[in-house]
Each structure stands twice: as C-alpha cells, then as structure tokens.
Amino acid sequence: MKKAKLFIDEKEVYEFPVQVDNMKGISLDIRNLRKDTGMITYDPGFGNTGSCQSAVTFLDGEKGILQYRGYAIEDLVEKCDFVEVAFLLVHGSLPNKKERYKYQELLNNHSMIHADMMDFFRGYPDHAHPMSILSAMVVSLSAFYPEIDLDEDPEAQMDLTVTRLLSKMRTIAAFTYRKLNGMDFVNPSYKYSYCANFLNMMFSSPVRDYTPNPVHVKAINKLLILHADHEQNCSTTAVRLIGSSEASLYAAVSAGICALWGPKHGGANQAVIEMLEKIRDDGITVDEAIRKAQDKDDPFKLMGFGHRVYKTYDPRAKIARKLCREVLDDLGKSDELLDIAIDLEQQALKNEYFIERNLYPNIDFYTGIIFRAMGIPTNMYTVMFALGRLPGWIAHYLEWHHDPYEKIGRPRQHYIGPTPKQVVPLEER
Ligand code: SDX
C-alpha cells in the first residue's frame, strides 16, 4: 500500500494510505483525516471526491469508456435487451436463458399496481409534469407494499421489492402518460416483452388496431440500456445517500427521480428538444446559437453539451446519434430538429470556446429526437431516462445495503457564517 504525506507550511502534518483500484484509479484514503488532524477537505460538487467503493460501473471520462459490470456499453447495446442488462446490474452477472425467462415471468407477475393507486392519478391536473407524478407514485408504493413480513427472509423481501419496482415503475410511467392525455389506462399484458409492454400500455387504442412497432421496441431497448447506469452521478448519489439512512428502496428511488428531473441532469433531454424547437421557431441561426451559448450574460446554454466527467465524446451520445438515423430511416421519417442538432454539433466541435472547455455532446443531445420519432411527448423524455436508470439506482442502493462498512452519508462544511454573538433581549432590540 502506497503512502501520501500532507505538509502545511513545509511541516509534515499527516501521512495516510493511497489506494489503487481495479482500473488503476488512484485515491487518497482520508477516512481518518478529521479524527487524526481535526481537518477536513473541501470539494463543493464532489468533483474530486470518491464517495464509496463500487463494482457496478466503470467510466473513463478522458477516453470515453463506459462499462457495466465489466461489459462495454457498445457490446451490451448490440447483444442484449434491457431486461438482461437490468439483471446484470442488479444481480452482477448476465442471465442465462433460464434466468432470463424466469425474470421476464417475475416482471410480468408484478406489473400491475394496486387498484387504489388509480385514484391518485385522477387527482393530478392535466398540466402536471410526469416526473412529479412518477416520484410521488414510486414512494407511494411503500404504502401498498411495505415488505414488513418479518418472517420472510430479508434478502428474499428485498429481491421482491426490486422486481416489483422494476416492473411497476414502467406501468406507472405509461399510466401517467395516459392520464395526462385524458385516456383510459391500458393494463400490462403477459403477451409482451418489457419494452413492447410499455409501448402497448402507452399507445394501444380501442379505436384502431395497435401492435408495438418492432423498430420502436428495439430502439427503446437500446435507449434504456444506454441510460441504465452511470457511476456516481447526481441522482445515483441521491439514491445512495437516502439509502444510507436505511430508508426504503422506494423512498431512495423517488429521491433519485427528483434529482434526475433537473435540467442540468436528466431533465436536459427535454431541454434539448425545447432548445432545438426555439432555434427553429425563432429563426435563430446555428452560428447565433453557438455565440449565445458562449455569452455569460445570455442564459442560453447548449443543452445536451458538456459533462462533469466526459472530457471527450460521450460514448452513449455516439450510439444515440447512430440510432437516431437508423430509427428515422426505418420509419421513413426525417426531422428538421436532427438536422439542426447535427449542424450545432459540427459548429461547436470546431469552436475554440467548446474545444477549450472539452464540451461535447452528452447522452441527452440526441435521445429526445428518437423518443420524438416514436411519438413520445417531450415532457415524458426524463421519465424515459428514469426508466432506464432504475436498475442502476437499484444496483447502487443494494451495493450500499450489502456493504458492512458503509455508514450514513454525512459530509462536513467550510463555515462562512457569523462568529458567536450574544442575543440582545427583544425589549432592548
Ligand atoms: C447527465 O454525471 C453524470 O454522469 C450525468 C449523466 C448520467 O448519465 O447520469 O451523464 C446525465 O446529466 C448529462 C448532462 C446533461 N446536462 C446538460 O446537457 C446541461 C448542459 N450542460 C451543462 O449544464 C454542464 O455541462 C454540466 C452541468 C453537464 C456539467 O457542468 P460542470 O461539470 O459543473 O461544468 P461547468 O458548469 O463548471 O462548466 C465548465 C465551463 C463553464 O464555463 P467557464 O466558467 O469555464 O467560462 O463550461 C461551460 C461553463 O459555463 N459550459 C457550457 C456548457 N456546459 C458547460 N457552456 C455552454 N453550454 C453548455 N452546455
């Protein structure tokens, strides 16, 4: 084990271990820093801070590498469907045929939600954002499925909760869409695979024959795989932090949904389409958009660009860009927003401001265009991101849950408030 030494004003004040991880990543182990020296580190945004050890996902922001449980994202997207990848993330290995079939059966068995939850949907206004409904419904699952059967083996109960959540959140997402569009709910059907079931619940109609388009089913599988996990991102950190207090998986995932909703995070996929529509509708040229994105006094940002970790092209964006073209070609469609997006990318990648700051397209830059091509409305894009990210959130929650050394998350601070003072009684103030 290597050692590191801390000097303050040339005086050695502390020596501590240096860790090297399985992909040669180096971390300074400061777990005893405050106990031994009274000092803390300061890293707002945690850009330089490892919050945990994890075996779920590896990503290399400089090289644009992303691996779930050691498998490259490019390989998984080509050779697996979303249920296999969900199984891989949650259970740690790819399922064999028997396990895959059994998992599909389990997911189908748990795809309905409690009838009393239907009343909740009726209470929401039609202008509600789907993410507000999704997060509320997910945490409400803990009221209907509290897993308090103390006789049951806790691991079996956790496995049941995981399967319930993986299946029911997809149903809730589809029901949310139906409610916001004034349509009756379409129940899940055992006849369909995970993604086809989702599309059927979303778009099936009594007035016309509907069968999920195989091009859409394949694209949804790939898109959910692309979103399935991404190491210690904002929403996954939220899930781990909530889970660290031993709150339920439903509560932790509901918090993850809320964190993901923000336009700096998963909400960017909706913001990208709104940005492209604004550029089109306001007649903003691509050059003007690139200029506005650099102007600090202009609130306009190039949504879908930039990333805290990737300082090169997000490997998922590369796959999504190719998928865009494939889906549109398969459907015999074109989309002027895709043309604007490709033009924006080409101009940005040649522009000093973006080059200097390593700003490249991220996962959110192209995915909205694919959802749009399938008739999924803009306000549902971040719900799609959440559906994809769910197995990743679950995997990280379970990793903390099973780690005997994990503690409740409780960071410290750099205090900039007032120094101590006496209260002056009211009559003298
Ligand atoms: C996701 O972490 C994950 O893994 C997230 C995610 C996942 O799978 O979980 O990958 C999903 O959230 C992808 C990111 C989606 N968000 C967006 O597309 C929103 C637009 N991007 C930015 O808001 C921004 O790039 C962030 C939030 C993504 C990253 O922000 P950072 O790392 O805090 O970087 P920063 O804001 O400090 O930016 C550094 C510089 C700044 O300029 P200077 O102060 O150096 O002059 O780059 C500029 C920023 O102003 N900049 C941008 C920009 N993004 C950063 N300028 C214009 N347009 C942008 N999009």
Side-chain angles (χ1 to χ4, degrees):
M1 179 72 83
K2 294 185 171 63
K3 290 273 183 201
K5 289 187 175 177
L6 179 63
F7 289 78
I8 296 182
D9 295 340
E10 283 145 34
K11 181 171 172 289
E12 182 182 325
V13 294
Y14 193 49
E15 182 181 81
F16 49 96
V18 175
Q19 300 179 124
V20 183
D21 74 14
N22 290 1
M23 295 298 280
K24 300 191 176 27
I26 297 174
S27 56
L28 307 178
D29 181 348
I30 55 162
R31 279 176 285 185
N32 296 316
L33 176 67
R34 191 169 187 283
K35 180 166 67 67
D36 295 349
T37 69
M39 294 188 288
I40 63 168
T41 59
Y42 177 61
D43 183 25
F46 314 123
N48 305 284
T49 297
S51 60
C52 61
Q53 56 181 15
S54 179
V56 179
T57 288
F58 171 76
L59 62 87
D60 181 321
E62 280 65 37
K63 297 187 188 123
I65 293 169
L66 174 59
Q67 296 165 352
Y68 299 160
R69 302 281 189 192
Y71 295 101
I73 187 73
E74 296 80 2
D75 213 3
L76 291 167
V77 162
E78 272 319 300
K79 297 175 187 163
C80 298
D81 68 14
F82 177 61
V83 169
E84 289 174 82
V85 171
F87 187 99
L88 167 69
L89 287 167
V90 170
H91 296 282
S93 58
L94 281 168
N96 59 36
K97 269 188 270 183
K98 191 160 160 273
E99 289 166 327
R100 169 73 182 75
Y101 179 76
K102 187 167 174 305
Y103 212 46
Q104 181 67 45
E105 245 190 339
L106 267 177
L107 291 169
N108 271 333
N109 294 345
H110 292 292
S111 52
M112 284 297 288
I113 59 173
H114 194 290
D116 290 351
M117 288 185 80
M118 308 308 246
D119 298 337
F120 295 1
F121 285 103
R122 289 184 184 83
Y124 284 97
D126 287 351
H127 59 264
H129 194 289
M131 288 292 272
S132 63
I133 301 175
L134 188 70
S135 58
M137 285 291 177
V138 163
V139 73
S140 301
L141 288 171
S142 57
F144 290 88
Y145 307 98
E147 310 324 345
I148 50 173
D149 176 355
L150 301 179
D151 301 337
E152 180 68 47
D153 154 37
E155 282 312 298
Q157 284 208 28
M158 182 57 82
D159 212 28
L160 175 59
T161 301
V162 165
T163 313
R164 277 192 167 128
L165 188 51
L166 273 171
S167 195
K168 292 180 191 309
M169 192 162 118
R170 172 200 45 183
T171 303
I172 291 167
F175 284 10
T176 299
Y177 166 78
R178 302 287 291 200
K179 182 275 167 328
L180 295 178
N181 289 276
M183 295 189 277
D184 280 338
F185 299 133
V186 172
N187 283 327
S189 161
Y190 66 90
K191 283 185 246 158
Y192 288 117
S193 65
Y194 188 92
C195 292
N197 219 336
F198 172 72
L199 289 169
N200 189 60
M201 287 191 272
M202 285 275 286
F203 298 121
S204 175
S205 158
V207 297
R208 58 182 163 74
D209 202 14
Y210 174 81
T211 312
N213 180 326
V215 172
H216 292 186
V217 175
K218 195 168 153 224
I220 292 271
N221 268 292
K222 289 178 185 276
L223 285 164
L224 295 185
I225 290 170
L226 287 179
H227 288 87
D229 194 52
H230 212 240
E231 203 222 54
Q232 306 307 323
N233 59 85
C234 175
S235 54
T236 300
T237 300
V239 168
R240 274 188 172 259
L241 194 60
I242 307 292
S244 76
S245 74
E246 298 190 1
S248 79
L249 176 62
Y250 299 123
V253 167
S254 178
I257 292 167
C258 293
L260 187 73
W261 191 0
K264 276 196 163 187
H265 191 10
N269 57 17
Q270 171 175 342
V272 167
I273 294 297
E274 289 164 350
M275 170 189 75
L276 295 173
E277 285 173 338
K278 181 170 174 55
I279 289 172
R280 177 197 61 193
D281 301 343
D282 294 4
I284 300 172
T285 65
V286 165
D287 288 341
E288 270 175 313
I290 296 290
R291 186 189 51 72
K292 285 164 67 68
Q294 304 172 53
D295 179 354
K296 298 301 174 200
D297 299 327
D298 190 325
F300 181 90
K301 263 200 188 286
L302 197 50
M303 300 310 279
F305 254 73
H307 199 277
R308 172 61 59 79
V309 175
Y310 287 124
K311 299 310 168 193
T312 183
Y313 214 106
D314 182 333
R316 304 166 297 173
K318 269 188 200 153
I319 297 169
R321 187 176 192 271
K322 186 165 156 280
L323 194 55
C324 248
R325 186 50 74 204
E326 282 170 13
V327 171
L328 287 170
D329 290 352
D330 282 343
L331 299 173
K333 285 184 176 178
S334 65
D335 186 342
E336 55 190 347
L337 297 190
L338 177 59
D339 301 335
I340 297 171
I342 290 173
D343 200 355
L344 271 174
E345 176 192 326
Q346 284 166 350
Q347 297 310 315
L349 296 188
K350 290 186 295 196
N351 179 285
E352 233 3 80
Y353 172 92
F354 290 85
I355 294 169
E356 261 168 32
R357 292 165 178 80
N358 295 310
L359 301 177
Y360 292 87
N362 59 52
I363 176 98
D364 294 312
F365 194 60
Y366 286 107
T367 46
I369 293 171
I370 308 169
F371 292 134
R372 185 178 142 90
M374 293 190 257
I376 297 172
T378 309
N379 66 358
M380 282 289 290
Y381 295 173
T382 313
V383 169
M384 298 308 292
F385 194 142
L387 280 183
R389 186 53 51 90
L390 182 57
W393 286 335
I394 292 171
H396 285 277
Y397 178 95
L398 293 178
E399 193 167 58
W400 173 85
H401 182 77
H402 291 132
D403 183 339
Y405 304 104
E406 277 292 349
K407 297 174 180 283
I408 186 167
R410 205 282 185 213
R412 305 305 298 260
Q413 64 175 13
H414 174 74
Y415 178 68
I416 54 169
T419 49
K421 49 190 178 182
Q422 296 300 317
V423 173
V424 175
L426 183 58
E427 50 280 8
E428 294 167 34
R429 261 184 271 154

